[in-house]
Amino acid sequence: MSGSGSGNRQLIELSKELTERVHAPPCEYDCILHPGNTNAWSKVVGMLCEDDDFVIVEEFTYPSAQALWIPLGIKAVPVPADAEGILSNKLRELLTKWDSKTTNAKRPRVLYLVSVGSNPTGVTISAERRREIYDIAIEFDLIIVEDDPYYFLQYPGYQTSPSAVKVADDFIKTLTPSFLSMDTQGRVIRLDSFSKTLFPGLRLGYFIANPVFIERLLRATEVETQDPAGLSQAFALSLLRGWGIDGYLTWLQNLQLQYRTRRDWLLDAFYANFTVLPAEKSPLTKAQGLVACVQNKDGVLLPVFSFVDPGAGMFVWSKFYFEGVDRYLEVESQSPEDPEQAFADELWKAWATELVLLTPGSYYHPWQGADKVTTKARGAEARTAHFRFSFATPTEEQIHSGIVRMRKVIGKYWE
């Protein structure tokens, strides 16, 4: 199946039908297909950004989203976040205080967000926070790029009772409203994907945006990728025709349950191998979410890492605390340029020896320039580092045995 750069017309119409059911955009919009959200984002960058621009991103952001614009001299402006997503007051402060003379660049015009189950943090931006962010976008004339491959993989918190499969409209009501659903001015470009909901190798999704943007994105498609893969389009079209929109939404509910179950396996393993406490009852009262602790040889409870129970996506983001770890203090005393990263690298290698592969948090540091790559230069918290856990593919046994091996390594350093 091949066709125009916009993609198969029947599949576009089904995508629009799904968009109306789920998001009901209050503004005029159109859709065209694309070969996956990473490629879609590259087209948006080409359309909206110029060399040496700044792009506003979350505090930690998807590395492939940056890789394509770093060679253009474009830099990230990260905004701090909490368990409800980026802080709207910090976003407003950034834009209000922007100094074009100091930065040698005009105020950013693009806000890039993975707003549900963010990769890597697992955080979903709350409905209230979204409304605050959208109001700021209006005030400062921002374009919001809503990269949302995990939108349908939202689920209740850990240790809540599982719910029965709902009829389609009731299922939709359980999902956090998208930025698109609030977009009265046509300033949201939504990147939607079939890759995370049908299968990853499909590399197929669709843009939803103001027709002005869609026309430019279509022109870019015609001279770049030309058309999403015909086989992928044919496969998705066949499924959606057979299932109908209600059937697809039922499929998504069952998929949601699969990822929720895997999330629960991982958190079960945390609770089985650590003393897990709410932050306010832990040695780190100002941490976010939950804190996993161990006892040292003197019986003192030491915090190892904190994490937020993810309500969507495929990842748990962890913040490790090195205060009081003798080996870290040795590394720090040797005065490397970045002791936090040096010790994090050592930890990663120790876990790898035990066949445990966590993704280093350094992969997700927004690129702010060559002068801001160390922990201190980025203004990050001293004596901490991040790692990402993924529960996307392992079995229950693999998850539990992996955390046991991870805990073994931690015992050598923290206890």
Side-chain angles (χ1 to χ4, degrees):
M1 178 186 292
S2 62
S4 68
S6 61
N8 178 269
R9 178 49 54 185
Q10 292 173 299
L11 188 52
I12 291 173
E13 291 305 317
L14 285 166
S15 298
K16 287 183 177 179
E17 184 181 343
L18 180 63
T19 298
E20 284 295 327
R21 283 285 296 278
V22 176
H23 306 289
C27 61
E28 183 183 6
Y29 72 93
D30 204 350
C31 295
I32 60 172
L33 304 183
H34 62 67
N37 282 22
T38 300
N39 176 268
W41 166 238
S42 74
K43 291 184 171 71
V44 173
V45 170
M47 176 176 69
L48 296 180
C49 299
E50 299 175 1
D51 291 3
D52 302 318
D53 271 359
F54 284 79
V55 174
I56 304 172
V57 299
E58 296 158 280
E59 189 174 16
F60 302 97
T61 194
Y62 183 52
S64 293
Q66 303 184 83
L68 64 101
W69 49 251
I70 290 174
L72 303 177
I74 296 173
K75 296 178 183 177
V77 188
V79 179
D82 61 13
E84 293 186 59
I86 69 168
L87 296 166
S88 53
N89 62 329
K90 295 296 184 181
L91 175 62
R92 178 183 294 281
E93 181 181 323
L94 163 71
L95 294 165
T96 301
K97 295 182 177 180
W98 188 265
D99 186 341
S100 297
K101 292 182 179 179
T102 302
T103 60
N104 198 32
K106 55 185 173 290
R107 192 170 63 200
R109 303 182 301 271
V110 178
L111 171 60
Y112 170 78
L113 298 169
V114 181
S115 59
V116 170
S118 176
N119 183 0
T121 65
V123 167
T124 295
I125 301 176
S126 68
E128 180 179 358
R129 189 70 56 80
R130 287 168 191 258
R131 284 187 281 270
E132 293 168 358
I133 292 168
Y134 189 81
D135 287 345
I136 292 170
I138 292 174
E139 181 179 350
F140 291 92
D141 196 21
L142 290 176
I143 302 301
I144 299 173
V145 183
E146 184 174 32
D147 185 354
D148 217 352
Y150 310 109
Y151 185 74
F152 293 108
L153 305 183
Q154 300 182 47
Y155 28 74
Y158 178 65
Q159 293 182 331
T160 58
S161 300
S163 55
V165 173
K166 301 175 174 65
V167 298
D169 288 334
D170 288 341
F171 167 59
I172 291 168
K173 290 175 184 177
T174 68
L175 303 175
T176 299
S178 64
F179 280 105
L180 182 69
S181 71
M182 309 173 180
D183 185 19
T184 57
Q185 295 195 345
R187 63 176 61 253
V188 173
I189 300 174
R190 181 174 172 83
L191 314 181
D192 237 312
S193 177
F194 293 117
S195 297
K196 296 295 190 294
T197 57
L198 295 179
F199 63 83
L202 194 66
R203 305 314 307 154
L204 180 66
Y206 50 103
F207 293 102
I208 310 166
N210 185 297
V212 172
F213 293 138
I214 291 294
E215 189 274 336
R216 290 289 88 192
L217 292 166
L218 177 56
R219 299 288 86 82
T221 298
E222 289 171 340
V223 297
E224 292 180 18
T225 51
Q226 297 185 345
D227 191 28
L231 187 60
S232 296
Q233 293 186 65
F235 180 86
L237 179 59
S238 178
L239 282 178
L240 292 180
R241 274 177 171 171
W243 286 342
I245 297 302
D246 281 352
Y248 181 51
L249 291 169
T250 299
W251 161 267
L252 291 169
Q253 287 188 71
N254 287 307
L255 188 65
Q256 176 200 69
L257 177 60
Q258 291 293 320
Y259 281 104
R260 176 191 174 172
T261 299
R262 292 173 183 276
R263 184 277 314 268
D264 289 351
W265 290 342
L266 180 57
L267 298 197
D268 286 346
F270 285 173
Y271 276 84
N273 289 278
F274 298 91
T275 300
V276 179
L277 300 169
E280 62 272 15
K281 297 180 180 180
S282 79
L284 295 172
T285 56
K286 294 185 179 181
Q288 290 186 19
L290 300 159
V291 180
C293 306
V294 296
Q295 281 191 342
N296 68 7
K297 57 183 180 294
D298 298 319
V300 176
L301 200 62
L302 295 179
V304 180
F305 65 93
S306 61
F307 65 97
V308 174
D309 174 7
M314 305 174 177
F315 314 110
V316 171
W317 185 238
S318 60
K319 182 177 184 179
F320 278 72
Y321 300 88
F322 302 152
E323 189 73 42
V325 177
D326 290 342
R327 174 57 187 153
Y328 172 77
L329 296 176
E330 287 179 20
V331 172
E332 190 177 57
S333 68
Q334 295 164 5
S335 300
E337 182 181 9
D338 192 344
E340 290 86 358
Q341 190 57 50
F343 184 62
D345 291 346
E346 182 176 324
L347 262 183
W348 186 90
K349 291 174 183 176
W351 284 325
T353 300
E354 293 291 335
L355 303 182
V356 176
L357 293 178
L358 303 184
T359 309
S362 57
Y363 286 11
Y364 305 96
H365 296 160
W367 176 254
Q368 301 174 69
D371 58 334
K372 292 186 178 181
V373 295
T374 65
T375 301
K376 184 177 181 179
R378 289 186 294 106
E381 184 179 345
R383 297 183 172 182
T384 67
H386 293 81
F387 290 91
R388 191 198 73 175
F389 295 80
S390 173
F391 51 85
T393 59
T395 65
E396 182 176 13
E397 192 280 329
Q398 288 171 332
I399 286 175
H400 279 268
S401 65
I403 297 303
V404 167
R405 296 194 301 276
M406 171 203 162
R407 173 66 175 81
K408 175 183 173 183
V409 172
I410 284 171
K412 295 178 181 178
Y413 286 96
W414 268 260
E415 293 178 350

